[in-house]
Amino acid sequence: MSVEQSHSSLHLYNSLTKREEEFTPIADRTVTMYTCGPTVYGRPHIGNYSSFLMADLLRRYLEVKGYEVRHVKNITDVGHLVADQDEGEDKIEKQAKEEKGSVTMQSVLDIARTYESQYLDDEKTLNMLEPMSRPRATEYIEQMKEMIETLLQKKFAYVTEDGIYFDVTRFPSYGQLSGNTLQNIESGARVAVNEEKRHPADFALWKFCVGANAHHVLRWSSPRGPEGQEYPEGFPGWHIECSAMSRALLGDQIDIHTGGEDNIFPHHECEIAQSESVTGAHPFVRTWLHKRRIDLEGEKMSKSLGNVLTIPNILDRGYDAQDLRYYLLSVHYRTNLKFSWKGMDDAKKARRKITEWMEEVRLWKGTDGTEGTEVQQWRNKFMDAMDSDLNTPGALGVIFDLMSWSRNQQGFTDEGLASLQSLIDDIKETFGCFESSVEKIPADVQSLLDERAAARASKNFAESDRLRDEIAKLGFEVKDTKDGQSVKKI
């Protein structure tokens, strides 16, 4: 992209500092970015994907602005316990018991890989860019153990009968991200009660396969103590996984970390504490971005409430995945989206209008008229909106105004058209949902189209209109152009 396209600076709301800040990466034109991916014990729902789409939008826009983005998005396939606690069943093992009737190494891995495959298919359906790396937690056990051993040596961690815990009192800024300071945390408030813990907020770095966890099937040799002490086999806590994968692939300090607002506490709070305690690099993450949740019928959308919608649910209602992508991105990421089918209908119509305009511009021919300098003003408006903390509603407003403006011009010079097409290309790349869908025309519809073409050729316009209505009943809209009939699915 050209230098003139980077006329303004990107500002993002940092969840850590609670204010919008100018984004400046550690390296000049390279951005390191980590996204908390799914725990693969079920098909992710559209609330999960709204968070992943925020990250995808940010990455796309950074690349439009000329940055190289080193994006890591993990897959959690062990250690994430029910209710995000340090006690209870592993979510994937629990699902294996329900679906397979047994919990064995193979049944658990089968569950993880089945839902991982569904998740990857869904991301492709939603046109998400492939990250630089998709690490599985089970592939980074040694890096986790290394970090835990360092925490033990530096006395940030201690050992109990059932595992190894992080001592939050050794990390004075614990709670800065979430506002859950140690003084405000009470036993039982989203932290598990364990009499061996020094503080109620202390969290598990590693759990031993003893007691209630004796039958945990995914297990490894445990980290060693400072004097080389050996402990029973075990498995990692959820929080250490992301710290280890992020550090291994992106380094001790990264530019951006994204996730849903549910991740702020305890997950991201714990990531900060353990990462900075190991490396001494502060801050571990320079900019935290969190996506607000989706509500369905007045309630938070979540698997635990049983009110989730998946990608297949959306497609079964006759929508395109790009319609859903548009809908989820049309609301600012720091605003709760109140999901409704009317909202989906409106998104479908709006996306179609924009896509049709883009196709229309592609067919325009250069003539005397508007120059590229005038188009540049629209590029500036679009980027000003996106640079203001990814203000997608504002950016979409600019696009609709641009549509009206461009159609009211008497024409565009070749240079003006090239400038307009370049802006459209960047809009497409940013939002990722304005590609024309090539429709497969059913045989019965094609037969009616052929009859209608013959009727128009013989100037039988009454029959032509009747056939248009018949085609509409089958779900397709016909338009007459100078190049013949154009048909699109309604």
Side-chain angles (χ1 to χ4, degrees):
M1 67 179 298
S2 65
V3 174
E4 66 176 358
Q5 289 173 313
S6 299
H7 73 287
S8 58
S9 298
L10 174 62
H11 287 72
L12 298 170
Y13 182 86
N14 188 348
S15 299
L16 183 66
T17 61
K18 312 297 186 294
R19 63 175 182 267
E20 284 190 26
E21 299 171 340
E22 181 176 349
F23 174 71
T24 305
I26 299 167
D28 183 29
R29 302 302 298 172
T30 300
V31 177
T32 50
M33 179 173 163
Y34 187 91
T35 294
C36 278
T39 299
V40 284
Y41 69 103
R43 192 171 207 136
H45 56 76
I46 65 170
N48 302 134
Y49 286 121
S50 71
S51 174
F52 303 151
L53 280 170
M54 174 197 71
D56 189 68
L57 174 82
L58 174 57
R59 174 188 165 182
R60 285 171 171 273
Y61 186 60
L62 286 167
E63 291 180 348
V64 164
K65 287 181 72 69
Y67 291 101
E68 174 192 352
V69 183
R70 298 178 61 218
H71 188 198
V72 172
K73 186 185 297 186
N74 78 292
I75 292 172
T76 298
D77 56 357
V78 67
H80 191 172
L81 305 188
V82 173
D84 301 349
Q85 299 279 10
D86 289 337
E87 309 295 334
E89 290 183 275
D90 182 292
K91 291 186 176 185
I92 302 174
E93 291 196 3
K94 182 175 183 288
Q95 194 67 23
K97 185 187 299 181
E98 293 177 4
E99 291 190 29
K100 305 288 185 179
S102 64
V103 181
T104 65
M105 177 76 76
Q106 191 57 50
S107 69
V108 173
L109 291 177
D110 285 347
I111 288 293
R113 301 301 165 249
T114 294
Y115 289 115
E116 177 184 319
S117 177
Q118 290 182 3
Y119 156 67
L120 295 176
D121 287 345
D122 285 348
E123 284 219 338
K124 288 179 182 177
T125 300
L126 285 169
N127 196 28
M128 293 196 204
L129 298 178
E130 187 65 19
M132 178 188 80
S133 182
R134 291 187 186 274
R136 293 170 177 157
T138 51
E139 297 169 346
Y140 285 78
I141 299 296
E142 292 306 312
Q143 289 87 342
M144 298 175 206
K145 288 164 60 175
E146 178 187 342
M147 289 187 74
I148 294 169
E149 288 173 355
T150 298
L151 290 169
L152 284 169
Q153 290 165 3
K154 297 173 74 171
K155 301 188 185 306
F156 283 103
Y158 60 92
V159 180
T160 69
E161 287 188 6
D162 74 336
I164 303 172
Y165 288 82
F166 185 90
D167 185 348
V168 295
T169 64
R170 297 269 295 148
F171 191 75
S173 59
Y174 189 83
Q176 182 179 353
L177 180 69
S178 65
N180 290 315
T181 61
L182 297 185
Q183 292 76 16
N184 294 334
I185 294 175
E186 297 179 357
S187 181
R190 268 202 98 181
V191 292
V193 177
N194 182 329
E195 292 181 358
E196 285 195 88
K197 287 163 63 170
R198 297 176 182 174
H199 188 281
D202 291 351
F203 57 90
L205 298 165
W206 189 270
K207 297 288 286 187
F208 300 141
C209 292
V210 298
N213 292 313
H215 301 294
H216 201 281
V217 299
L218 294 182
R219 58 175 68 196
W220 295 264
S221 61
S222 292
R224 291 177 176 267
E227 306 300 326
Q229 300 98 317
E230 294 186 4
Y231 302 109
E233 289 184 325
F235 57 93
W238 175 34
H239 314 307
I240 194 66
E241 297 176 358
C242 285
S243 286
M245 289 182 280
S246 173
R247 186 186 185 208
L249 293 166
L250 297 175
D252 289 350
Q253 189 179 49
I254 63 174
D255 292 308
I256 298 172
H257 196 313
T258 73
E261 65 176 345
D262 287 355
N263 290 148
I264 294 175
F265 186 84
H267 188 46
H268 290 164
E269 195 74 77
C270 297
E271 275 191 64
I272 293 172
Q274 62 204 8
S275 292
E276 294 188 8
S277 297
V278 166
T279 67
H282 176 79
F284 156 51
V285 176
R286 290 161 65 97
T287 303
W288 288 91
L289 266 74
H290 289 99
K291 174 71 174 68
R292 295 294 299 275
R293 68 176 186 266
I294 289 182
D295 292 338
L296 181 63
E297 297 177 347
E299 286 189 308
K300 164 189 165 184
M301 188 179 294
S302 72
K303 289 190 179 78
S304 61
L305 294 174
N307 64 344
V308 299
L309 291 169
T310 64
I311 303 302
N313 294 149
I314 301 298
L315 300 183
D316 288 346
R317 295 284 292 249
Y319 298 101
D320 191 291
Q322 292 190 68
D323 297 332
L324 176 63
R325 183 179 175 111
Y326 179 96
Y327 187 23
L328 297 180
L329 292 179
S330 67
V331 174
H332 192 270
Y333 77 92
R334 288 197 290 121
T335 300
N336 282 110
L337 171 63
K338 313 294 185 183
F339 182 90
S340 69
W341 293 113
K342 181 184 183 303
M344 278 296 304
D345 289 339
D346 292 343
K348 180 178 181 177
K349 293 173 185 174
R351 189 184 74 84
R352 181 174 178 178
K353 287 179 181 178
I354 294 174
T355 303
E356 289 179 346
W357 166 71
M358 289 177 169
E359 283 297 295
E360 182 184 321
V361 171
R362 188 176 62 82
L363 298 175
W364 289 353
K365 304 297 183 183
T367 180
D368 292 335
T370 303
E371 299 286 350
T373 52
E374 293 186 62
V375 177
Q376 180 64 32
Q377 296 175 11
W378 288 97
R379 174 182 292 281
N380 293 346
K381 292 178 182 179
F382 173 76
M383 297 189 76
D384 283 345
M386 291 301 297
D387 283 340
S388 181
D389 194 31
L390 306 180
N391 181 5
T392 51
L396 290 170
V398 170
I399 294 170
F400 279 104
D401 288 344
L402 171 61
M403 288 164 56
S404 298
W405 174 82
S406 65
R407 284 169 169 158
N408 288 331
Q409 301 307 295
Q410 297 303 308
F412 286 83
T413 65
D414 287 339
E415 187 261 345
L417 269 183
S419 183
L420 180 58
Q421 188 59 59
S422 175
L423 173 54
I424 287 173
D425 290 343
D426 282 349
I427 290 170
K428 283 184 173 182
E429 183 58 33
T430 297
F431 278 90
C433 60
F434 296 127
E435 296 300 328
S436 296
S437 298
V438 178
E439 302 289 352
K440 184 177 180 180
I441 308 301
D444 55 347
V445 174
Q446 187 60 56
S447 177
L448 292 173
L449 285 169
D450 294 341
E451 289 182 40
R452 186 172 181 274
R456 287 185 62 77
S458 62
K459 301 189 183 304
N460 186 347
F461 297 113
E463 177 66 2
S464 170
D465 290 343
R466 186 189 72 78
L467 288 166
R468 183 202 299 271
D469 292 341
E470 289 297 312
I471 293 169
K473 290 177 184 177
L474 295 175
F476 287 82
E477 177 187 67
V478 183
K479 288 185 178 180
D480 295 306
T481 72
K482 60 182 177 62
D483 298 318
Q485 299 179 109
S486 171
V487 62
K488 287 187 178 182
K489 189 172 178 63
I490 300 174

